[in-house]
Amino acid sequence: MDYSALARSYNTLSYTHQLRDLLAAFFQTDKYKDCNKFELAKTVNDVVFKNYDGEQILKYQLAKEFITKKYVAAFEVKAKTSRTDFLVINGDTKSFEVKSKIDTLNRLKKQVEDYGDVFEYNTVVIDKTHLEKVIELIPDYYGIWYYEKSKKVVYREAKYSPKINASEQLTLMNKKELQKYFGSTNNEQILKECNSAQINDTLKQALKGRYDKRWSFIQTNWNSILPIDLQFFFNTNVKPEIIYGN
């Protein structure tokens, strides 16, 4: 069966009848006709997590890794011309780029260059099938994780990035954040007045301020959110009972 089609067709905001139709068509059965929306969504979730090798599974495992730790975390954080899949911030910044079994590695070299310029510790989280190729593509200071079922395997720990660039770090902050933390939106002026350590520390403060509320929502509602819907709830902070009660 093409489980990727099921994963692609699923939408957190689908109505109950749409999910019933989706499952009826996929499994060629009417046994889901009396299920409510949460039961239908959970069925899709369980099937996808058991049979599909997409990035949702690795993102969920990453989130689970940090859900009880004293970090602020975020999905899809822009960094230069790339967007890191998962970022955690506290006393340091840790970026995680996900490459699932069905992902290509075509953009990885550019992505790791971008993250290394702005985040302190950087890791590629992969399906083990990518391991040999990833080792060739990424610099030595990058970490490598993969999962064997639910067990995390740390093939290589991340080291502090030797490429941190204060000028590039400033581009991660929007004008409102620059004004709030530096009293200026002129990057050249900020670079003259602040050293690289000050800019690095301020970036962490800004990112924590930007994502704290959204991540706290995920922590509070963790047990009510289906793994397949995790990023939706991070982005929207809509109460799960509102979504699943439709």
Side-chain angles (χ1 to χ4, degrees):
M1 301 181 80
D2 185 5
Y3 294 103
S4 63
L6 181 64
R8 291 194 305 270
S9 299
Y10 174 77
N11 187 317
T12 308
L13 292 174
S14 293
Y15 290 106
T16 303
H17 73 272
Q18 292 172 316
L19 291 177
R20 285 179 186 145
D21 291 346
L22 173 62
L23 287 168
F26 188 78
F27 289 110
Q28 296 294 297
T29 179
D30 65 352
K31 73 176 185 176
Y32 301 104
K33 61 184 176 63
D34 296 323
C35 293
N36 62 34
K37 179 172 178 179
F38 180 79
E39 291 168 336
L40 295 164
K42 188 176 187 307
T43 298
V44 176
N45 177 90
D46 293 349
V47 170
V48 167
F49 268 68
K50 183 178 179 180
N51 300 285
Y52 181 56
D53 294 312
E55 66 175 19
Q56 297 102 315
I57 288 85
L58 292 176
K59 284 184 175 181
Y60 172 75
Q61 288 171 317
L62 275 171
K64 188 177 180 181
E65 194 77 32
F66 290 95
I67 195 66
T68 60
K69 297 179 181 178
K70 293 184 178 180
Y71 280 86
V72 172
F75 294 96
E76 301 290 337
V77 178
K78 187 176 180 183
K80 299 179 68 176
T81 59
S82 300
R83 192 175 291 272
T84 189
D85 287 307
F86 192 67
L87 179 73
V88 296
I89 317 107
N90 194 352
D92 50 34
T93 48
K94 293 181 171 74
S95 83
F96 297 89
E97 180 61 27
V98 169
K99 295 299 179 188
S100 72
K101 190 172 185 177
I102 65 172
D103 289 330
T104 72
L105 304 180
N106 295 343
R107 293 165 45 235
L108 183 59
K109 193 170 182 180
K110 176 66 170 63
Q111 289 169 322
V112 299
E113 288 175 359
D114 285 352
Y115 308 145
D117 282 353
V118 294
F119 301 128
E120 293 169 299
Y121 295 92
N122 303 277
T123 297
V124 179
V125 183
I126 61 170
D127 185 275
K128 193 177 179 181
T129 56
H130 292 310
L131 183 58
E132 288 187 16
K133 186 64 175 176
V134 164
I135 292 169
E136 294 176 8
L137 288 172
I138 66 174
D140 290 342
Y141 67 88
Y142 252 78
I144 302 173
W145 292 4
Y146 60 85
Y147 285 84
E148 292 183 334
K149 295 185 177 179
S150 60
K151 181 185 177 183
K152 180 185 74 178
V153 177
V154 179
Y155 179 84
R156 190 168 79 194
E157 289 280 11
K159 300 174 184 175
Y160 193 90
S161 172
K163 294 177 70 245
I164 294 289
N165 183 312
S167 179
E168 295 292 356
Q169 286 184 315
L170 288 176
T171 67
L172 270 64
M173 289 178 268
N174 57 42
K175 287 186 177 181
K176 185 177 179 180
E177 289 166 340
L178 290 170
Q179 187 64 47
K180 176 181 179 179
Y181 294 105
F182 295 106
S184 172
T185 58
N186 186 317
N187 287 7
E188 290 185 10
Q189 179 183 338
I190 296 169
L191 287 167
K192 289 178 182 177
E193 295 177 354
C194 301
N195 62 38
S196 57
Q198 290 171 318
I199 291 171
N200 185 43
D201 287 343
T202 303
L203 173 63
K204 286 180 273 195
Q205 189 178 357
L207 291 171
K208 286 176 72 175
R210 186 192 301 174
Y211 296 115
D212 179 65
K213 184 178 178 182
R214 283 196 258 173
W215 183 246
S216 293
F217 179 90
I218 295 297
Q219 290 176 307
T220 300
N221 293 280
W222 180 259
N223 292 327
S224 302
I225 295 172
L226 292 171
I228 200 171
D229 295 324
L230 193 58
Q231 196 165 323
F232 168 86
F233 284 103
F234 173 80
N235 290 333
T236 64
N237 280 190
V238 178
K239 285 288 187 181
E241 57 265 30
I242 294 175
I243 298 298
Y244 296 134
N246 288 349

